[in-house]
Amino acid sequence: MSETSSPDALFDVLIDEGVVIENGTVALTDEFEHRWSIYYDTYASITPEAFEESIAETFHISRDEALNSGVTRAEFSYYLALRAHLDGEYTEAELGLMSEMVAEIGPSSPVPDGVNHLTDETYRDFLATHPACIVSVWKRDCEPCEAVAAKLPELRAGIPDDVAFAGIDGDDVVAFRREFEVTEAPSFLCFRDGEYRETVTGAIGTDALVESLREVYD
């Protein structure tokens, strides 16, 4: 495209190129979500300095400009994923506009339905108001997560009623992961009396997981 296309034209591109699907609702395709998650996993864990350098190199700007660009790690990952995914030739401005559209649609959350979904903006308030709680961490394309999610009602039934339960998207909630050094999914971070006590991972199996969680609150 020789000139920056209209938002409507670019949205059609996203559909034609297999980034977005319209079927009653608008969502990202599984293929694009997977591609984005690979980029996001890479850039979510690098230092702020390395991230600024990546922005500067990609957009051919100075480090100071990169620092003040306001580009988030998720947005940058969308841009790179689009650049790798799209077959057509698009200008940097068009890729930027399409990245904004894709970011607004966002990926589907790996947090199971019915679980209070926390973000980097809300988890501190949740912890402050729930001295006894469990925060679960989930990721996309994660077979252990899917296995535990299938037995989540059984797991929650084994947790005391006064222990609040919430979940986070491990691909998206970077500040929480860093603060509590979360490296695996699914993980269950246990808080008691307003303090972090321990992390239990889903890799130990559902029965052992329930027993480990109970022990924290006995």
Side-chain angles (χ1 to χ4, degrees):
M1 296 184 180
S2 57
E3 297 181 1
T4 301
S5 299
S6 69
D8 286 345
L10 292 176
F11 185 76
D12 289 339
V13 166
L14 294 175
I15 293 175
D16 294 340
E17 293 255 29
V19 175
V20 171
I21 185 170
E22 273 192 309
N23 187 17
T25 59
V26 178
L28 303 182
T29 63
D30 291 342
E31 180 183 359
F32 182 78
E33 271 196 23
H34 179 67
R35 187 187 297 271
W36 171 78
S37 69
I38 293 173
Y39 280 103
Y40 191 74
D41 278 346
T42 299
Y43 288 98
S45 58
I46 64 175
T47 65
E49 293 76 16
F51 179 58
E52 291 160 15
E53 183 64 32
S54 297
I55 293 176
E57 290 180 357
T58 299
F59 297 111
H60 311 291
I61 59 178
S62 70
R63 286 287 298 274
D64 285 342
E65 289 173 316
L67 176 62
N68 297 314
S69 66
V71 176
T72 68
R73 294 169 192 251
E75 291 166 345
F76 187 59
S77 300
Y78 282 128
Y79 181 91
L80 296 178
L82 280 172
R83 194 171 65 175
H85 184 95
L86 299 175
D87 292 327
E89 294 185 5
Y90 305 97
T91 67
E92 192 171 283
E94 287 169 337
L95 286 171
L97 286 172
M98 285 189 282
S99 297
E100 291 177 7
M101 293 179 188
V102 171
E104 287 185 7
I105 297 169
S108 58
S109 173
V111 178
D113 291 342
V115 175
N116 184 7
H117 190 168
L118 304 179
T119 68
D120 273 336
E121 290 71 40
T122 63
Y123 81 82
R124 291 183 180 87
D125 286 342
F126 178 83
L127 295 178
T129 55
H130 298 86
C133 66
I134 295 172
V135 178
S136 53
V137 181
W138 311 84
K139 296 191 76 173
R140 299 171 187 80
D141 302 317
C142 168
E143 291 186 5
C145 295
E146 294 170 2
V148 173
K151 294 191 174 183
L152 191 58
E154 174 186 336
L155 187 152
R156 295 186 66 175
I159 298 170
D161 292 339
D162 60 347
V163 177
F165 190 89
I168 68 166
D169 179 342
D171 292 318
D172 191 44
V173 186
V174 179
F176 181 90
R177 285 172 48 196
R178 285 182 176 167
E179 181 174 350
F180 296 104
E181 299 180 345
V182 180
T183 59
E184 297 182 54
S187 289
F188 298 82
L189 284 78
C190 303
F191 298 81
R192 185 174 181 179
D193 299 325
E195 296 182 357
Y196 167 73
R197 294 302 178 91
E198 67 176 276
T199 297
V200 182
T201 69
I204 62 176
T206 304
D207 291 342
L209 177 59
V210 170
E211 185 60 31
S212 295
L213 294 176
R214 280 178 177 166
E215 290 176 358
V216 176
Y217 300 99
D218 282 345

